């Protein structure tokens, strides 16, 4: 049953300003989410109004809630731990770095501009890092929207607000989609000095906001548009490498620099952001102006009647009207001097943004930049995005076969005479995968598990009776008598075992004798192979407790360690103090606990800079500064 999509009204109906009001709104939204999920139904319009006020945890002040060293927030932390399971709580804590939402009027202005530029009102559009989906909620009704959101709670809320959209709860770094799959990309990309592993779309390890921008351009088809809000460092970074890479694929249609504080109401952040509109270049077109690749040193008024030199993007230095305010250099909340855009008195940022966007639209038309609409013969890939790995084969009831390519099912030709055997091999694959998954969780002696094993054994026996062993082969003698005979593997077996990522599992279902050509069932078909693990409920030493936490959860988890040691979390933190470090955020809060060896290794220069920023806000981080300064042999 699909519910009715929520239509965004004004900003007042979305996430409220103020840490306390936003916390209360978030808690209310989580409770509605859990109730709707438990009852397995769509959200009612009234419930959607509560869900729409979800603002995640990125606003200033909310990150302090997750700081275990802040006793004043202990009650709120406990409330969240009761509302969220450990994985969801950890995901929520991670969002404090970059979960910043967009003012609804900015979203509407951006959508209106895309349509003015020629973007179709019925195409496929992506919002990466979609949060609760303000761009989805302001999209034209006929647009087919997809949102990608890392935080599972936020993704679930977005799915209830906009049931017609496809919401993927995953890191954008692991999102697999074909190049050119979307007509446009729109949104507010998360910005942080973090580098995600995405070898296909981020081989140069650009920081998060630049990575999201590059991948968005690659996923947009030629002639399509990308309109995203990003950190001003995308354009102002002194290293032009990322902008040069973008220019190889796209032209910068326009940029608007928003004033400091433009996102305070919706996101609670003072970051300086730019709205970038790029057009994916059609093959054979002459590239547009490349001035935006470069920066120029600019002297700006600084604090205490001083002057400071910052690097500003050349497109903006040549067109100061694109900056909605007066550039200055100010010391921010972290004690570091940086760019500040002071708005002119009585500036209505939404109206100023619309005026600037109108100018960009006029210039784009004068230059002949148009959105290239899809034609009837434009190849649309596959049957929808799927979660399986590339190479995964599927057999469909109507006789077709498909294979996953770049995250999408595409047709694959299988000769008719191989259809029956390929289907049998894929059935073995799926039964074997299901049995292994069941063995990882089922208790010893589970009757359902043993029934799955017997079913797989019967399927293998039927296959062998019909076709012969899976690993059978015939020898062919080459024309050159000096060469050894070659093994000829049946075509159906070769297709499955060499193309499908789980093909080797199919081949491993039997013990095959090369000399006799006979096969016996492998151990998985006759007895349990994965022994259920007995949970560890106590630990003798703090080191053992930390090891158990890492082994079971993959991280240092204070509640788990406290339970293992039989003490409260404050005592547990004291007992493991020589094994771990708290890691600071620039605001002086804690973003979590990591092993000492992990913290004092890797890029300690960046860690030291961050620790110094945090220590300027809260002296307790001086401990980190001292430790990082005394351990240069482990740095890189």
């Amino acid at each position: 049953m699909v519910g009715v999509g929520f239509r965004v009204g004004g900003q007042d109906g979305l996430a409220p300003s103020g840490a306390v009001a936003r916390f209360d709104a978030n808690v209310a939204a989580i409770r509605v989410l859990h109730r709707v999920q438990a009852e397995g139904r769509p959200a009612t319009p009234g419930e959607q109004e509560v869900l729409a006020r979800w603002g995640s945890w990125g606003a200033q002040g909310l990150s302090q809630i997750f700081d275990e060293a802040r006793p004043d927030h202990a009650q709120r932390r406990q409330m969240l731990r009761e509302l969220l399971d450990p994985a969801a709580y950890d995901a929520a804590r991670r969002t404090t770095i970059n979960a910043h939402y967009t003012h609804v009027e900015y979203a509407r202005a951006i959508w209106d501009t895309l349509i003015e530029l020629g973007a179709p009102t019925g195409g496929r559009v992506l919002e990466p890092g979609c949060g609760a989906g303000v761009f989805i909620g302001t999209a034209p009704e006929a647009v087919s929207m997809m949102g990608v959101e890392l935080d599972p709670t936020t993704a679930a809320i977005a799915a209830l607000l906009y049931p017609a959209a496809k919401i993927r709860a995953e890191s954008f770094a692991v999102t697999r989609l074909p190049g050119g799959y979307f007509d446009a990309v729109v949104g507010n990309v998360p910005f942080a000095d973090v580098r995600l592993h995405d070898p296909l779309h981020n081989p140069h390890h650009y920081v998060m906001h630049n990575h999201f921008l590059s991948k968005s351009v690659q996923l947009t088809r030629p002639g399509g548009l990308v309109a995203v809000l990003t950190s001003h460092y995308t354009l102002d970074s002194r290293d032009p490498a990322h902008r040069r890479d973008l220019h190889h694929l796209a032209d910068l249609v326009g940029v608007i620099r928003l004033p400091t504080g433009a996102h305070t109401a919706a996101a609670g952040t003072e970051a300086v952001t730019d709205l970038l509109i790029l057009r994916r270049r059609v093959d054979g077109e002459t590239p547009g102006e490349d001035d935006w690749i470069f920066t120029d040193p600019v002297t700006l008024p600084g604090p205490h009647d001083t002057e400071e030199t910052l690097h500003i993007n050349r497109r903006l230095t040549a067109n100061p009207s694109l900056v909605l305010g007066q550039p200055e250099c100010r010391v921010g909340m972290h004690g570091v001097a940086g760019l500040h855009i002071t708005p002119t008195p009585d500036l209505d940022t939404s109206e100023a943004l619309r005026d600037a966007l109108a100018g960009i639209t006029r210039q784009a038309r004068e230059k002949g930049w148009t959105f290239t609409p899809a034609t009837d013969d434009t190849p649309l890939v596959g049957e929808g995005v799927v979660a399986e790995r590339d190479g995964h084969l599927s057999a469909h009831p109507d006789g077709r076969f498909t294979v996953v390519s770049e995250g999408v099912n595409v047709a694959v030709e299988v000769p008719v005479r191989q259809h029956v055997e390929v289907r049998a091999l894929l059935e073995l694959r799926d039964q074997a995968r299901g049995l292994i998954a069941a063995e990882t969780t089922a208790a010893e002696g589970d009757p359902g598990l043993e029934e799955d094993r017997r079913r797989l054994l019967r399927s293998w026996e039927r296959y062998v009776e019909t076709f012969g062993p899976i690993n059978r082969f015939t020898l062919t003698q080459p024309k050159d008598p000096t060469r050894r005979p070659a093994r000829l593997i049946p075509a159906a077996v070769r297709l499955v075992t060499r193309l499908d990522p789980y093909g080797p599992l199919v081949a491993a279902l039997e013990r095959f004798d090369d000399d006799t050509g006979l096969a016996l069932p492998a151990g998985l078909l006759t007895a349990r192979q994965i022994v259920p693990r007995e949970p560890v409920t106590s630990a003798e030493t703090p080191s053992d407790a930390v090891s158990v936490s890492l082994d079971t959860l993959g991280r240092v988890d204070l509640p788990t360690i406290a339970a293992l040691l039989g003490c409260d979390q404050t005592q547990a933190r004291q007992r493991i103090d020589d094994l771990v470090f708290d890691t600071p955020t620039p605001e002086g809060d804690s973003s979590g606990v990591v092993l000492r060896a992990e913290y004092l290794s890797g890029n300690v220069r960046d860690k030291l800079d961050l620790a110094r920023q945090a220590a300027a806000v809260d002296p307790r981080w001086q401990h980190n500064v001292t430790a990082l300064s005394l351990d240069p042999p482990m740095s890189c």
Side-chain angles (χ1 to χ4, degrees):
M1 181 177 177
V2 178
V4 177
F6 179 74
R7 295 306 297 176
V8 175
Q11 186 63 36
D12 291 343
L14 301 181
S17 300
V20 174
R22 183 162 294 200
F23 177 85
D24 292 342
N26 285 350
V27 169
I30 292 173
R31 287 174 172 154
V32 168
L33 170 66
H34 289 175
R35 182 170 66 246
V36 172
Q37 289 178 327
E39 296 174 4
R41 58 174 176 80
T44 66
E47 289 169 333
Q48 286 180 329
E49 291 181 1
V50 177
L51 294 171
R53 291 176 62 79
W54 169 262
S56 193
W57 309 103
Q60 293 176 8
L62 286 182
S63 61
Q64 299 173 4
I65 294 171
F66 297 89
D67 186 353
E68 298 290 341
R70 295 290 298 265
D72 52 321
H73 291 301
Q75 185 175 357
R76 291 189 175 93
R77 275 195 300 277
Q78 182 59 32
M79 184 185 298
L80 288 181
R81 289 190 185 280
E82 293 172 357
L83 284 172
L84 302 172
D85 61 41
Y89 182 89
D90 189 54
R93 182 177 56 81
R94 290 195 300 270
T95 67
T96 60
I97 300 174
N98 49 41
H100 302 302
Y101 291 178
T102 309
H103 196 289
V104 63
E105 293 306 323
Y106 303 166
R108 287 196 173 106
I110 293 169
W111 270 116
D112 290 345
T113 300
L114 287 179
I115 294 170
E116 285 289 322
L117 289 171
T121 57
R124 290 185 297 210
V125 178
L126 168 69
E127 183 183 359
C130 67
V134 66
F135 282 94
I136 299 174
T138 51
E141 292 190 10
V143 167
S144 176
M145 291 293 304
M146 176 183 289
V148 178
E149 171 56 42
L150 174 62
D151 178 49
T153 302
T154 305
I157 288 173
L160 287 177
L161 287 171
Y162 311 109
K166 299 179 179 67
I167 307 297
R168 300 182 67 169
E170 63 188 16
S171 167
F172 192 47
V174 304
T175 297
R176 293 180 299 116
L177 294 163
Y181 186 77
F182 295 98
D183 297 297
V185 176
V186 65
N188 184 345
V189 299
F191 30 94
D193 189 10
V194 174
R195 289 162 173 81
L196 304 177
H197 180 69
D198 185 356
L200 178 61
H201 296 103
N202 193 29
H204 302 300
H205 306 289
Y206 293 127
V207 294
M208 185 184 293
H209 40 282
N210 290 345
H211 170 198
F212 272 53
L213 185 54
S214 293
K215 187 166 185 173
S216 295
V217 170
Q218 294 173 61
L219 296 179
T220 304
R221 61 181 177 79
L225 295 171
V226 174
V228 296
L229 290 156
T230 181
S231 165
H232 78 93
Y233 289 111
T234 293
L235 288 185
D236 288 349
S237 171
R238 296 183 66 173
D239 184 356
H242 173 253
R243 295 187 295 273
R244 186 174 287 114
D245 285 349
L246 280 178
H247 187 62
H248 286 316
L249 295 175
D251 294 310
L252 182 64
V253 177
V255 55
I256 300 170
R257 177 153 294 174
L258 300 178
T260 301
H263 300 284
T264 300
T269 178
E270 296 290 316
V272 176
T273 59
D274 295 334
L275 170 61
L276 303 185
I277 302 177
L278 298 111
R279 177 179 177 272
R280 176 76 184 266
R281 196 177 302 118
V282 177
D283 291 344
E285 284 185 342
T286 302
E289 298 173 355
D290 64 356
D291 58 318
W292 60 285
I293 295 176
F294 309 101
T295 61
D296 294 318
V298 177
T299 301
L300 298 174
H304 309 298
D305 297 324
T306 61
E307 291 186 338
E308 300 286 344
T309 299
L310 298 179
H311 275 255
I312 306 295
N313 190 269
R314 188 169 296 175
R315 176 69 64 90
L316 296 173
T317 60
N319 302 275
S321 63
L322 298 176
V323 181
L324 303 186
Q326 180 62 42
E328 300 177 12
C329 183
R330 289 190 185 179
V331 176
M333 63 178 296
H334 311 313
V336 179
L339 182 66
H340 185 96
I341 305 298
T342 303
T344 56
D346 301 322
L347 176 75
D348 185 323
T349 304
S350 297
E351 289 300 320
L353 176 62
R354 283 190 175 275
D355 291 342
L357 285 169
I360 288 174
T361 302
R362 287 193 300 270
Q363 292 178 5
R365 288 172 175 169
E366 291 171 1
K367 293 179 179 180
W369 268 332
T370 58
F371 185 92
T372 306
T375 58
D376 292 339
D377 58 355
T378 300
L380 297 180
V381 184
E383 307 169 306
V385 179
V386 296
E388 291 289 357
R389 296 166 58 188
D390 280 7
H392 184 272
L393 287 164
S394 296
H396 298 271
D398 59 3
R400 295 176 304 115
F401 291 86
T402 58
V403 62
V404 177
S405 176
E406 293 186 291
V408 171
N409 269 322
V410 297
V412 61
E413 291 296 329
V414 176
V416 175
R417 62 181 179 277
Q418 298 173 20
H419 279 200
V420 175
E421 185 174 2
V422 169
R423 287 180 180 274
L425 290 166
L426 295 181
E427 182 181 7
L428 288 172
R429 176 203 62 189
D430 294 339
Q431 290 182 2
R433 288 181 64 188
L435 178 58
I436 292 173
E439 284 198 354
T440 62
T441 57
E444 190 66 39
D446 187 317
L449 179 65
E450 295 312 313
E451 177 56 33
D452 290 345
R453 195 181 320 282
R454 288 190 292 271
R455 185 183 304 111
L456 176 59
L457 177 60
R458 290 194 296 269
S459 295
W460 175 80
E461 290 172 340
R462 286 196 300 270
Y463 177 90
V464 174
E465 290 173 1
T466 304
F467 304 103
I470 299 170
N471 295 282
R472 68 193 185 277
F473 63 90
T474 57
L475 293 176
T476 60
Q477 183 63 48
K479 295 181 180 179
D480 185 351
T482 62
R483 299 183 63 183
R484 299 177 61 183
R487 292 190 178 198
L488 182 62
I489 300 172
V493 176
R494 187 169 61 250
L495 174 68
V496 173
T497 59
R498 295 187 179 180
L499 177 61
D500 192 278
Y502 296 98
L505 173 62
V506 178
L509 293 177
E510 63 186 22
R511 293 180 286 127
F512 183 74
D513 189 314
D514 286 1
D515 296 328
T516 65
L518 300 177
L520 295 173
L524 179 66
L525 281 67
T526 58
R528 184 166 190 160
Q529 304 298 302
I530 302 174
V531 179
R533 297 178 60 180
E534 292 293 332
V536 179
T537 58
S538 64
E540 294 184 2
T541 67
S543 179
D544 289 343
V546 171
S547 297
V548 171
S549 175
L550 291 171
D551 184 50
T552 55
L553 300 175
R555 66 182 187 278
V556 179
D557 184 72
L558 280 178
T560 299
I561 293 171
L564 291 168
L565 295 175
C567 61
D568 60 37
Q569 293 184 37
T570 301
Q571 293 172 326
R573 179 63 185 85
Q574 294 172 348
R575 294 180 65 179
I576 66 172
D577 189 57
D578 61 337
L579 302 173
V580 300
F581 269 91
D582 284 285
T583 56
T585 67
E587 294 83 6
D589 304 318
S590 174
S591 63
V593 182
V594 299
L595 286 177
R596 179 184 185 89
E598 178 183 347
Y599 187 67
L600 298 180
S601 61
N603 193 341
V604 296
R605 294 184 180 90
D606 285 353
K607 294 178 183 178
L608 180 57
D609 289 342
L610 182 58
R612 285 171 174 161
Q613 291 182 40
V617 179
D618 188 338
R620 71 188 174 103
W621 295 110
Q622 187 60 42
H623 170 64
N624 294 54
V625 174
T626 302
L628 290 165
S629 301
L630 293 177
D631 285 86
M634 298 184 69
S635 64
C636 63

